[in-house]
Amino acid sequence: MTLQPPAGLATLSAMSSTSEIVRLTVNGDNHAVGVPTHFTLLETLRYVLGLTGSKQGCDKGDCGACTVLVDGQPTLACLTPVWEAEGKQVLTVEGLATVDGPHPLQDAFDVHGAAQCGFCTPGILCSAAALLQRSPRPTRVEIQEALAGNLCRCTGYTKIYDAIEAAAVAQAGDGSSQAAG
Amino acid sequence: MIPVEAEPDVLRLPPFRYHRPGTVAEAVALMGEHAGNAMFVAGGTDLIPNMKHRLFEPGHLVALKGIGELRGIREDAGHLRIGASETLTSVATHLDVLRSFPALADAASHVAGPQLRNAGTIGGNLCLDTRCTYYNQTEFWREALGYCLKKDGTVCHVTKVGKKCVAAHSADTPPVLMTLDAVATLVGPEGVREVPVRDFFVTDGILNTLRGPGEIVTEVRIPLVSAQKKQAYAKLRQRKSIDFPLLTVAIAADIEGDGTVRSIEGVVTALGSRPRVLSGWGDTAEGHKLDDGIINELAQRAHKQCHPLENITVDPEWRRAMVPVYVRRALEKLGAA
């Protein structure tokens, strides 16, 4: 797939605001890119870096579809001025898998049918990855609380909970599994 | 790929420059330099959506998150001092807070959802903008209605005739901080001042705190003697996972070993423009034990004093009816604490 240049970006920066160079580490890759100074982390990920895995849902902090990990913490990229991500490790859904294969959560979501329309999935995977990092065998209540800020309107969550529990078991049983973050 | 300018249905921020001072003094100076065209931002969970709704369009944002002086939770000189840019997650999970002020940890843990608590700060919660059906809406929506008193208009759509904004104070932690006798430190161009959280809010839905536009809340300080109080917090909201409060109740009481109430205070919010200290509670409860009769009487007193308006989308009569219910629940929690 060829990555298109961010359409409109040049127009925007020329007409309404100054662009500056922001230095980001996303999924282990270092980037130095010019962005309008009022860009959010989400706009930078999607429209400058072409990482469209993180979704633009409500765009005002309600839905959690834009959740990424900033220094391991679930963070709403739509409310984060891009400058706040400088000097930190940003992990998006694109960074969960390794060359060896998908993240155990991604495997489990597949096996358990935990995604329907899939729009909330990238954010949920990020919230869940942070949960497994701090609590490798979470209870169902812990899972529910960790996903409280991620709205899913399709699944009713049950299969998502099942998948996260299964991923926790898989991770515990396989020391070679990649730990997120 | 979505064109950045040509897509009308997503919420864009207005252009601004983002400043990241390293000290409070630099932040105050930057604010002075861009006076009238700048705002402070900490977690951004309230300001950024409001800016996307064009409720604020400052040309400059002065970021507080990177200022080391504003961080830290520590006991010092008889107080627990909480740096204003400590996140709500950190307040909700810090051992000193949990041990001494469990109601504060409880309130912080009930703000919005996990991601917002990871970003939102205790100082920001104190300075949270008021909310209203007719205010927290897109520019398109507000324009269609001819705007409102709080922003760009001259009419209050809630009271129809009133000339005073009645948007609802909707922060979870201030009522608890009030019952614990907390004090906020503010630093601005005029210097430092300390304001008891109890006196921090005013009855004006437009600007409902005493904070001047150039002032930063740097710290919240709670006297450790307040840790002796029994504390409880209860919150009504539509979805337990993410929502702003429809009603919040905070109660703290000095209770003797045999259960006799020495002093008691209750604060409710999310009804009017500032938190309300419930009156007459001392007369009712002091010298008595918190039995069913006293609890009912306190709940009825609260009910009589609360008259929510239609400032948020949920039926005000129902919100009012829930006042005694949540007061009773909080009092029962307090008794069990």
Side-chain angles (χ1 to χ4, degrees):
Chain A
M1 190 189 91
T2 325
L3 202 63
Q4 287 175 11
L9 187 64
T11 335
L12 180 87
S13 48
M15 59 179 273
S16 54
S17 103
T18 328
S19 281
E20 281 178 22
I21 304 285
V22 65
R23 289 179 175 76
L24 295 174
T25 306
V26 183
N27 303 328
D29 295 334
N30 294 319
H31 300 272
V33 288
V35 291
T37 54
H38 64 283
F39 257 32
T40 61
L41 177 59
L42 182 65
E43 287 165 324
T44 309
L45 291 171
R46 289 180 60 85
Y47 307 129
V48 181
L49 299 179
L51 294 169
T52 52
S54 309
K55 297 295 179 250
Q56 198 161 13
C58 69
D59 217 1
K60 53 179 183 162
D62 293 333
C63 77
C66 67
T67 304
V68 299
L69 303 186
V70 177
D71 281 351
Q73 288 253 50
T75 302
L76 297 176
C78 78
L79 297 188
T80 307
V82 64
W83 310 101
E84 291 293 336
E86 271 199 324
K88 296 182 174 159
Q89 297 289 329
V90 179
L91 187 83
T92 70
V93 69
E94 288 94 340
L96 282 179
T98 63
V99 285
D100 302 323
H103 188 281
L105 279 165
Q106 292 169 313
D107 244 347
F109 270 56
D110 176 22
V111 171
H112 288 263
Q116 284 185 29
C117 88
F119 197 83
C120 70
T121 310
I124 288 190
L125 286 168
C126 287
S127 285
L131 170 67
L132 294 188
Q133 189 77 345
R134 66 170 187 273
S135 177
R137 290 299 299 272
T139 63
R140 190 154 279 224
V141 170
E142 274 182 275
I143 298 173
Q144 288 170 341
E145 283 174 357
L147 297 190
N150 293 86
L151 302 191
C152 172
R153 303 294 84 170
C154 304
T155 64
Y157 289 93
T158 307
K159 291 182 176 190
I160 294 173
Y161 300 150
D162 290 345
I164 294 172
E165 282 171 354
V169 171
Q171 235 177 15
D174 176 8
S176 70
S177 289
Q178 181 218 17
Chain B
M1 193 163 289
I2 301 172
V4 169
E5 274 294 83
E7 175 54 69
D9 294 331
V10 292
L11 293 169
R12 297 242 158 263
L13 281 166
F16 57 81
R17 299 296 299 263
Y18 198 75
H19 303 270
R20 283 174 293 167
T23 65
V24 171
E26 276 173 48
V28 171
L30 271 167
M31 186 55 77
E33 207 176 299
H34 302 289
N37 190 27
M39 291 177 81
F40 291 118
V41 61
T45 55
D46 189 39
L47 182 63
I48 301 288
N50 285 354
M51 285 175 65
K52 289 185 173 189
H53 283 159
R54 298 300 185 269
L55 301 175
F56 302 105
E57 297 179 70
H60 299 265
L61 284 184
V62 179
L64 304 177
K65 265 272 170 88
I67 300 177
E69 301 162 65
L70 299 179
R71 283 197 293 268
I73 299 180
R74 61 195 171 275
E75 286 184 6
D76 173 42
H79 289 83
L80 183 70
R81 311 174 82 105
I82 305 176
S85 76
E86 283 296 327
T87 64
L88 293 161
T89 298
S90 114
V91 172
T93 55
H94 195 280
L95 289 181
D96 288 344
V97 181
L98 284 165
R99 189 177 51 229
S100 301
F101 306 113
L104 178 61
D106 197 19
S109 77
H110 282 83
V111 178
Q115 297 98 319
L116 291 167
R117 290 192 296 274
N118 287 344
T121 64
I122 185 84
N125 200 239
L126 209 57
C127 301
L128 192 82
D129 195 12
T130 52
R131 299 179 54 74
C132 180
T133 306
Y134 302 97
Y135 175 65
N136 301 91
Q137 303 288 352
T138 58
E139 166 75 23
F140 172 81
W141 195 103
R142 291 181 298 112
E143 187 200 9
L145 206 65
Y147 301 107
C148 82
L149 204 57
K150 180 162 162 112
K151 177 65 183 162
D152 298 331
T154 54
V155 179
C156 172
H157 302 292
V158 177
T159 62
K160 314 293 181 201
V161 292
K163 282 293 163 206
K164 196 162 163 194
C165 173
V166 294
H169 173 263
S170 304
D172 295 284
T173 61
V176 180
L177 291 169
M178 288 166 73
T179 63
L180 298 174
D181 300 320
V183 175
T185 306
L186 282 83
V187 177
E190 315 282 302
V192 182
R193 60 174 176 149
E194 308 224 306
V195 181
V197 176
R198 202 183 298 280
D199 305 327
F200 186 66
F201 299 97
V202 296
T203 319
D204 174 1
I206 296 179
L207 285 176
N208 79 327
T209 75
L210 292 179
R211 187 182 72 86
E215 281 185 306
I216 302 172
V217 173
T218 57
E219 183 184 79
V220 180
R221 199 177 70 207
I222 313 170
L224 287 174
V225 289
S226 294
Q228 308 301 320
K229 293 182 183 179
K230 299 261 191 200
Q231 309 155 27
Y233 167 82
K235 173 175 180 173
L236 168 69
R237 53 178 167 173
Q238 282 154 304
R239 291 160 295 193
K240 258 161 80 184
S241 53
I242 54 173
D243 281 317
F244 277 100
L246 300 174
L247 168 69
T248 271
V249 181
I251 302 173
D254 267 322
I255 295 180
E256 286 171 31
D258 67 352
T260 308
V261 175
R262 209 177 293 146
S263 71
I264 187 164
E265 184 176 44
V267 178
V268 293
T269 199
L271 301 171
S273 289
R274 70 163 164 184
R276 170 187 284 274
V277 179
L278 295 167
S279 68
W281 270 32
D283 300 341
T284 306
E286 278 163 26
H288 300 278
K289 289 179 181 164
L290 281 180
D291 56 23
D292 283 351
I294 297 290
I295 287 179
N296 269 333
E297 210 174 312
L298 292 172
Q300 285 320 311
R301 273 189 180 274
H303 185 241
K304 281 202 190 102
Q305 294 168 43
C306 296
H307 303 278
L309 298 164
E310 207 156 8
N311 47 7
I312 44 182
T313 47
V314 176
D315 177 22
E317 277 311 306
W318 182 72
R319 281 156 63 210
R320 180 165 188 236
M322 287 300 107
V323 170
V325 175
Y326 276 73
V327 165
R328 194 175 296 119
R329 284 183 192 175
L331 284 166
E332 282 161 4
K333 238 196 234 184
L334 189 99

